[in-house]
């Protein structure tokens, strides 16, 4: 049986406390799956998920397809490609001449039930980059 923990305020109570609720697996648990991954892509061509993974849950592999483009493969397939992804990238203070923030975007034509491709690119000229921090969170059924 899964347990859901959250901070809540009971009716008539003035304080917030940690509450715990049992969610029977037979009832479908939370009703959705979550996967996340973060990785250090600064190695470029030498990227290796086994050594460059920062953190993950529900992700079996991340592969560098080409500069700035990474395929994230899920440990268990989602029911379809209709899931939501939030992506982020960072690692530096992008300032100075020619500096530009980076964005990590989903390549929609590659979104399947088993994997998704993301691309990290500069926001000023759309040049793909391998950044020291890339991460995604996926929520779906």
């Amino acid at each position: 049986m899964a347990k859901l923990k959250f901070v809540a305020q009971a009716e008539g109570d003035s304080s917030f406390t940690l509450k715990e609720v049992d969610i029977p697996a037979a009832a479908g648990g939370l009703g959705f799956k979550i996967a996340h991954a973060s990785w250090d892509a600064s190695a470029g061509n030498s990227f290796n998920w086994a050594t460059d993974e920062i953190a993950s849950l529900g992700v079996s592999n991340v592969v560098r397809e080409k500069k700035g483009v990474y395929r994230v493969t899920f440990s268990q397939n989602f029911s379809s490609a209709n899931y939501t992804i939030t992506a982020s990238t960072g690692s530096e203070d992008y300032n100075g001449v020619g500096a530009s923030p980076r964005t990590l975007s989903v390549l929609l034509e590659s979104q399947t039930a088993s994997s998704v491709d993301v691309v990290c690119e500069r926001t000023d000229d759309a040049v793909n980059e391998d950044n020291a921090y890339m991460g995604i969170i996926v929520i779906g059924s």
Side-chain angles (χ1 to χ4, degrees), residues 46-106:
S46 300
F47 176 80
N48 181 337
W49 175 243
T51 57
D52 296 322
E53 171 189 358
I54 296 171
S56 71
L57 172 72
V59 170
S60 62
N61 200 15
V62 176
V63 174
R64 183 181 189 265
E65 296 292 310
K66 60 184 176 183
K67 186 175 183 179
V69 179
Y70 290 80
R71 174 161 294 153
V72 179
T73 302
F74 308 122
S75 300
Q76 293 183 345
N77 290 357
F78 284 86
S79 62
S80 73
N82 299 327
Y83 45 79
T84 300
I85 301 170
T86 299
S88 65
T89 188
S91 75
E92 296 181 31
D93 181 6
Y94 299 110
N95 61 28
V97 178
S100 172
R102 276 61 169 166
T103 183
L104 189 61
S105 304
V106 177

Side-chain angles (χ1 to χ4, degrees), residues 2 6 10-11 14 19-21 28 39 44 47-48 63-65 72 75 83 85 91 106 114-115 123 131 134 138:
F6 59 97
E11 189 175 338
S14 62
K19 306 291 183 188
E20 211 170 86
V21 177
W39 61 95
F47 176 80
N48 181 337
V63 174
R64 183 181 189 265
E65 296 292 310
V72 179
S75 300
Y83 45 79
I85 301 170
S91 75
V106 177
S114 62
S115 68
T123 58
N131 251 40
M134 295 189 197
V138 184

Side-chain angles (χ1 to χ4, degrees), residues 7-27:
V7 175
Q9 183 179 34
E11 189 175 338
D13 191 349
S14 62
S15 63
F16 287 89
T17 58
L18 183 65
K19 306 291 183 188
E20 211 170 86
V21 177
D22 291 330
I23 302 172

